[in-house]
């Protein structure tokens, strides 16, 4: 052993700071849970907020530190083709996504307590589970090793299976938990078998192995068929997790049945983490074959269209948002496809900024929307049909107003981050000569306005006999959560240039928002 | 290396994976479905171990052998830990459902439609 000159890479503890911060906060929250006063989670919520803020600051403290991979074997000196097989990567994409996940978790924690209290789910365990789930998502975004990615995904998912079934007296919450669990585990096994095949073809679970094998052009057909099967299975696993059609069947049921605060976190956090990991995966697989881009473009087209068309027929607000999240997965996939195509084809290279920006905007608009929808949770009951929201604007004017902002952003109406995000995806798709995909994106975002308007209409409908006590009172946490999400969406549009500069994920030399109408 | 060839292990892994996948689709009892998922995870484990044991097989790029050798074995240890965690949560969910409904048939789980 060690004949090839194995150099253990230095451990970069500072880069791990945010992850350790989130995990430790979860542990402290769980210990506090044993001491808390009965039915009162305020202390736990306080600790979580402080811990998440500290973790966020740690991400920013890392911002300008030199990146690189650590926690693994570094073969760069001995074997240049292989390079560094570190298990953890400290780069800007990882930092942006970590910050995003910490932010999403913070907003979730802010509006959860009021909802859980109204729904009579006074479980202190909720908070550690959310935090550990977030930690799993952060691991997914900061590794280039498929095995570590798998561990992060399972940490994220297993905590979410429990959270989905949190409302243990509600039939549909149990049903949601079972469906989510069975399909999630099914997806994991596809992913894992795919990783095993990629390992077989390349000799490592690290993504550098795929890049190395694509560059060195080995002699064997067997290697490549095993590699392609592996990549295909991993993509199926990804498709399940981010809910791409035809692997989306679990999404509407799980979103409808699971507690609303959990759904908000699930919709935002899981997609952010999984798409970040997918971006790293796309980075290397585009060099093995051009077929992946074609397949993913087709999946994106089907996902957008089917998601939007089925959403039109729904009568339940949470279900509509579930199909909307499927459609949004399609939009983000267009951005991912454009990024991949620009890397492998004869085009100007696109940065990862479009995907990161859209994920940020998508995360906060979805989370904000679910925060407002959680207001129907009252006296241990909760309705989520459109009729259940009639008159919301009277009993909760501020959240209802913010809800209109979130819906406008989801639909892609100007002055919101959702619009700019869709515009950038459209432009990216055009720049890699995928006119048809760009047009389909445009048509779909017009279709989507119809069902977003229906929810807005329900929220703003006044019914003569409306009982105001149907809605939970608006507490400070929910108020702050709505305000923060709406502020970020509008700031993301108004201050897009400084934001993109700060993220630093754009392709070198590219002007990200130049030529935008009205700027 | 004499004896059972790598392809036999891979074929066994693929067959186990396919049986598991079919079981998930066709079976109606969540516990059986879950057993099928475990079968699929074990198919992946077998594949990992086979590739690890035959790390000097011609299916190889430029990765140093000692890395390959350990990588596959460690993967299996991690997967077993993850599978155990999944069993704990999954059986918990199934138990909770059985207590509420006295049945766990998957066809009964159709309270949400649309």
């Amino acid at each position: 052993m060690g004949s090839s000159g194995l150099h253990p890479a230095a451990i970069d503890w500072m880069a791990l700071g945010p992850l350790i911060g989130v995990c430790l906060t979860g542990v402290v929250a769980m210990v506090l849970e044993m001491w808390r006063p009965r039915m009162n989670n305020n202390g736990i919520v306080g600790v979580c907020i402080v811990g998440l803020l500290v973790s966020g600051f740690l991400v920013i403290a890392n911002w300008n530190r030199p990146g690189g991979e650590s926690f693994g074997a570094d073969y760069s000196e001995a074997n240049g083709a292989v390079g560094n097989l570190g298990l953890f990567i400290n780069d800007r994409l990882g930092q942006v996504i970590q910050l995003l996940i910490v932010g999403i978790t913070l907003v979730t924690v802010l509006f959860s307590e009021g909802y859980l209290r109204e729904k009579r789910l006074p479980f202190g365990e909720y908070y550690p589970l959310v935090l550990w789930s977030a930690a799993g998502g952060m691991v997914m975004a900061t590794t280039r090793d498929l095995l570590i990615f798998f561990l992060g995904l399972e940490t994220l998912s297993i905590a979410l299976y429990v959270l989905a079934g949190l409302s243990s007296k509600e039939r549909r919450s149990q049903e949601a938990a079972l469906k989510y669990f069975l399909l999630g585990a099914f997806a994991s096994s596809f992913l894992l078998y795919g990783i095993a095949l990629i390992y077989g073809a390349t000799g490592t679970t690290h993504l550098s192995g795929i890049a190395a094998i694509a560059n060195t052009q080995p002699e064997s057909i067997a290697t490549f068929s095993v590699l392609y099967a592996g990549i295909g299975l991993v993509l199926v696993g990804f498709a399940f997790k981010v809910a791409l059609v035809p692997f989306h069947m679990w999404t509407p049921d799980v979103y409808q049945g699971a507690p609303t605060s959990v759904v908000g976190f699930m919709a935002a956090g899981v997609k952010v983490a999984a798409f970040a990991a997918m971006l790293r995966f796309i980075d290397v697989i585009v060099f093995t074959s051009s077929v992946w881009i074609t397949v993913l473009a087709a999946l994106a087209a089907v996902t957008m269209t089917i998601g939007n068309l089925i959403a039109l027929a729904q009568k339940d607000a949470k279900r509509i948002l579930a199909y909307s999240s499927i459609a949004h997965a399609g939009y983000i996939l267009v951005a991912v496809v454009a990024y991949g195509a620009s890397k492998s084809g004869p085009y100007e290279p696109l940065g990862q900024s479009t995907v990161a920006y859209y994920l940020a905007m998508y995360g906060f608009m979805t989370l904000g929307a679910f925060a407002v929808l959680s207001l129907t949770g009252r006296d241990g009951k909760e309705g989520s049909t459109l009729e259940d929201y009639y008159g919301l604007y009277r009993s909760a004017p501020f959240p209802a107003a913010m809800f209109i902002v979130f819906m406008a952003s989801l639909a892609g109406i100007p002055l919101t981050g959702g619009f700019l995000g869709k515009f950038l995806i459209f432009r990216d798709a055009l720049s890699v000569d995928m006119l048809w995909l760009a047009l389909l994106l445009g048509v779909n975002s017009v279709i989507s306005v119809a069902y977003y308007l229906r929810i807005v209409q329900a929220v703003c409908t006044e019914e003569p006999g409306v009982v105001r006590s149907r809605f939970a009172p608006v507490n400070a946490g929910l108020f702050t959560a709505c305000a923060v999400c709406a502020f970020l969406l509008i700031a993301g549009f108004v201050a897009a240039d400084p934001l993109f500069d700060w993220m630093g994920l754009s392709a070198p030399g590219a002007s990200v928002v130049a030529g935008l109408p009205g700027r | 290396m004499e004896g059972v060839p790598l392809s036999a292990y891979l074929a066994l892994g693929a067959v186990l994976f396919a049986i598991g996948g079919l079981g998930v689709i066709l079976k109606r009892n969540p516990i059986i479905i879950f057993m099928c998922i475990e079968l699929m995870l074990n198919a992946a484990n077998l594949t990992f171990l086979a590739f690890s044991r035959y790390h000097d097989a011609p299916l190889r790029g430029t990765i140093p052998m000692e890395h390959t050798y350990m990588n596959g074995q460690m993967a299996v240890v991690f997967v077993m830990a993850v599978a155990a965690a999944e069993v704990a949560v999954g059986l918990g969910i199934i138990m909770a459902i059985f207590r509420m409904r006295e049945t766990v048939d998957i066809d009964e789980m159709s309270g949400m439609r649309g």
Side-chain angles (χ1 to χ4, degrees):
Chain A
M1 290 280 174
S3 55
S4 63
L6 182 73
H7 297 286
I11 292 176
D12 187 359
W13 290 104
M14 181 67 192
L16 279 182
L19 192 56
I20 296 173
V22 172
C23 288
L24 269 186
T25 311
V27 173
V28 172
M30 194 179 67
V31 172
L32 269 185
E33 201 271 332
M34 293 184 247
W35 290 340
R36 74 191 163 129
R38 206 163 160 270
M39 312 284 269
N40 185 344
N41 289 325
N42 289 346
I44 303 178
V45 174
V47 165
C48 290
I49 290 174
V50 171
L52 285 166
L53 286 175
V54 169
S55 306
F57 280 120
L58 285 176
V59 179
I60 294 176
N62 271 322
W63 211 254
N64 287 317
R65 293 177 65 250
E69 296 194 57
S70 44
F71 287 101
D74 186 355
Y75 298 101
S76 353
E77 283 178 34
N79 189 341
V82 181
N84 187 342
L85 300 183
L87 304 180
F88 175 86
I89 183 165
N90 178 25
D91 65 350
R92 193 49 76 74
L93 176 67
Q95 290 163 350
V96 169
I97 300 296
Q98 279 190 323
L99 193 59
L100 192 49
I101 293 177
V102 168
I104 286 169
T105 315
L106 192 58
V107 175
T108 310
V109 167
L110 274 177
F111 80 85
S112 290
E113 182 54 21
Y115 172 75
L116 293 180
R117 206 172 283 181
E118 284 295 341
K119 270 208 93 177
R120 310 249 166 91
L121 299 172
F123 299 121
E125 295 91 340
Y126 175 86
Y127 297 96
L129 283 171
V130 168
L131 287 170
W132 291 330
S133 182
M138 288 161 79
V139 170
M140 285 164 73
T142 51
T143 181
R144 291 188 68 232
D145 190 290
L146 287 169
L147 187 61
I148 303 299
F149 158 71
F150 176 76
L151 290 179
L153 179 72
E154 288 299 311
T155 312
L156 172 101
S157 306
I158 291 177
L160 280 176
Y161 302 148
V162 180
L163 286 171
L166 199 68
S167 185
S168 53
K169 293 193 187 70
E170 219 181 353
R171 290 176 81 98
R172 60 180 201 175
S173 174
Q174 297 293 318
E175 189 177 322
L178 184 69
K179 282 178 178 165
Y180 193 37
F181 167 70
L182 287 178
L183 282 165
F186 189 51
S188 298
S189 55
F190 274 94
L191 195 70
L192 192 72
Y193 195 58
I195 296 173
L197 292 181
I198 291 176
Y199 163 73
T202 64
T204 175
T205 51
H206 196 278
L207 288 176
S208 295
I210 301 180
I213 210 166
N215 289 333
T216 50
Q217 296 293 337
E219 60 293 345
S220 143
I221 296 176
T223 304
F224 267 71
S225 39
V226 170
L227 180 65
Y228 287 168
I231 293 175
L233 285 169
V234 171
L235 285 178
V236 169
F238 269 119
F240 263 113
K241 287 290 169 188
V242 300
L244 300 177
V245 175
F247 308 103
H248 68 289
M249 300 81 71
W250 56 274
T251 319
D253 288 353
V254 172
Y255 280 29
Q256 188 187 353
T260 310
S261 59
V262 177
V263 178
F265 178 73
M266 198 190 276
V270 176
K271 277 213 172 59
V272 168
F275 269 114
M278 199 168 179
L279 210 50
R280 295 193 191 279
F281 191 60
I282 296 281
D283 250 347
V284 292
I285 63 166
V286 288
F287 298 115
T288 61
S289 164
S290 61
V291 77
W292 305 120
I293 292 298
T294 318
V295 169
L296 288 175
L299 269 185
V302 176
T303 305
M304 291 189 286
T305 315
I306 306 263
N308 273 322
L309 290 180
I310 303 184
L312 286 175
Q314 299 304 314
K315 292 186 182 63
D316 183 290
K318 279 164 90 179
R319 262 187 119 76
I320 295 182
L321 284 188
Y323 281 106
S324 138
S325 92
I326 293 172
H328 277 272
Y331 304 151
I332 303 170
L333 190 59
V334 174
V336 172
V337 164
Y339 170 72
S342 80
K343 276 207 99 169
S344 59
Y347 308 106
E348 291 273 300
L350 296 168
Q352 298 160 327
S353 54
T354 306
V355 180
Y357 179 81
Y358 201 86
L359 283 175
M361 293 302 126
Y362 166 79
F364 287 109
M365 60 205 185
T366 310
L367 196 53
F370 278 110
V372 179
L373 291 189
S374 74
L375 278 172
T376 47
R378 178 83 173 145
D379 290 337
K381 291 198 278 293
E382 182 180 10
S384 59
T385 60
L386 286 176
E387 287 80 21
D388 287 319
Y389 292 94
Y390 283 170
L392 180 67
Y393 84 103
R394 277 225 174 264
S395 89
F398 179 75
M402 295 302 105
F403 190 72
I404 296 176
V405 176
F406 304 141
M407 288 298 121
S409 184
L410 280 166
I413 289 168
L415 290 179
T416 59
F419 165 74
L420 183 57
K422 276 205 187 104
F423 176 82
L424 292 174
I425 295 178
F426 191 83
R427 202 183 60 179
D428 281 7
L430 284 185
S431 75
V432 294
D433 292 338
M434 289 193 175
L435 179 64
W436 65 279
L437 207 52
L439 287 179
L440 201 58
L441 173 76
V443 170
N444 268 300
S445 62
V446 173
I447 298 177
S448 71
V449 174
Y451 59 81
Y452 292 126
L453 270 181
R454 279 175 58 216
I455 315 187
V456 170
Q457 187 201 19
V459 167
C460 298
T461 300
E462 186 150 15
E463 222 183 4
V466 70
V467 195
R468 259 192 224 185
S469 61
R470 259 192 349 200
F471 300 108
V474 180
N475 57 22
L478 186 105
F479 191 91
T480 320
C482 291
V484 166
C485 289
F487 170 77
L488 289 172
L489 290 179
I490 293 175
F493 180 79
V494 177
D497 289 295
L499 180 66
F500 277 102
D501 284 345
W502 185 66
M503 284 202 299
L505 288 172
S506 318
S511 161
V512 174
V513 247
L516 197 66
R519 291 183 147 275
Chain B
M1 203 175 292
E2 297 299 316
V4 184
L6 175 61
S7 55
Y9 287 108
L10 295 188
L12 179 60
V15 168
L16 284 179
F17 188 80
I19 293 175
L22 280 178
V24 171
I25 294 164
L26 299 176
K27 288 293 177 181
R28 303 264 60 101
N29 184 320
I31 296 180
I32 307 275
I33 294 179
F34 191 52
M35 285 163 67
C36 290
I37 292 173
E38 290 289 310
L39 202 57
M40 294 168 78
L41 289 176
N42 283 328
N45 273 349
L46 181 63
T47 312
F48 264 121
L49 281 180
F51 279 129
S52 168
R53 183 73 185 84
Y54 289 75
H55 60 286
D56 51 353
L59 288 182
R60 203 56 79 227
T62 50
I63 304 290
M65 261 178 206
E66 68 268 19
H67 177 92
T68 302
Y69 189 63
M70 288 315 293
N71 200 171
Q73 307 211 359
M74 290 319 294
V76 173
V77 174
F78 279 118
V79 172
M80 289 197 289
V82 164
E86 260 181 2
V87 171
V89 169
L91 291 184
I93 293 172
I94 295 172
M95 276 284 284
I97 289 183
F98 183 73
R99 281 201 188 143
M100 197 190 309
R101 310 186 183 212
E102 306 279 302
T103 171
V104 286
D105 193 289
I106 213 88
D107 288 330
E108 302 283 318
M109 309 282 161
S110 53
M112 293 175 283
R113 286 185 183 279

